[in-house]
Amino acid sequence: SIAILLYLARKFKTPDHWYPSDLQKRARVDEYLSWQHVNIRGKGSKLFLTKVLLPLLTGQPLPPEKVEGVTEELNVVLKQFEEKFLQDKPFIAGSEISLADLVALVELMQPVGAGYDLFEERPKLAEWRRRVEEAVGKQLFQEAHEGILNAKNL
């Protein structure tokens, strides 16, 4: 949860870039962390549920029009994310990775795990993903997402 991440960042005095002491940068992180619950998390999880979990539980895929509607909802918030939060910056809060970037990418990996490559036609988003992966380490990133990326194989 966001509350636990913030608690851990404070308790263990993580490097400043994760949860910046600069008030403007921290406000950007807080703004994203508040926005993402019903936007990126809500729409990304809904696509994962629609494409992976519900078919697994029911034994049948959902109608294509249902999946298309859910995909379009996600596309709307992805556009908002790029325009409002990424803009032309390397990371959400500026030039360094923060908890906001980490949370954002983790949430975006759910639709990817459902077989929807949301980075494919979004070069700005793909470049941001590459920077986040490099910042945390590609091996650690792959290890952390192994389960969700293999979920469609259930």
Side-chain angles (χ1 to χ4, degrees), residues 8-152:
L8 292 172
R10 291 171 183 136
K11 178 175 175 142
F12 294 104
K13 297 178 179 46
T14 59
D16 191 66
H17 66 87
W18 288 112
Y19 194 56
S21 56
D22 175 275
L23 287 180
Q24 286 186 326
K25 289 179 182 179
R26 182 174 285 196
R28 292 293 292 168
V29 171
D30 289 339
E31 179 184 27
Y32 175 77
L33 294 176
S34 295
W35 177 85
Q36 65 92 27
H37 291 289
V38 294
N39 292 288
I40 297 291
R41 178 180 289 170
K43 306 308 185 221
S45 296
K46 188 174 180 181
L47 184 66
F48 184 78
L49 178 73
T50 303
K51 286 189 79 172
V52 177
L53 294 182
L54 288 176
L56 186 63
L57 293 172
T58 64
Q60 300 176 38
L62 275 99
E65 60 274 4
K66 175 78 171 168
V67 176
E68 287 173 23
V70 172
T71 302
E72 186 50 40
E73 289 176 8
L74 177 59
N75 287 333
V76 168
V77 297
L78 289 174
K79 184 176 183 202
Q80 291 171 347
F81 176 67
E82 285 184 307
E83 292 173 357
K84 171 78 174 145
F85 292 100
L86 288 182
Q87 298 168 342
D88 290 323
K89 302 176 304 223
F91 298 101
I92 293 171
S95 61
E96 294 182 288
I97 190 171
S98 71
L99 286 176
D101 298 287
L102 197 59
V103 169
L105 191 50
V106 165
E107 296 295 346
L108 292 177
M109 294 311 289
Q110 281 192 47
V112 172
Y116 178 54
D117 187 357
L118 51 89
F119 300 102
E120 186 176 27
E121 294 181 15
R122 292 182 181 86
K124 181 189 290 190
L125 204 59
E127 276 301 304
W128 167 78
R129 174 189 174 171
R130 182 192 57 73
R131 287 189 295 273
V132 173
E133 280 186 49
E134 285 179 1
V136 298
K138 286 184 182 277
Q139 184 176 345
L140 178 60
F141 181 86
Q142 289 302 318
E143 220 174 279
H145 293 94
E146 187 176 345
I148 198 76
L149 293 175
N150 292 321
K152 63 182 176 274

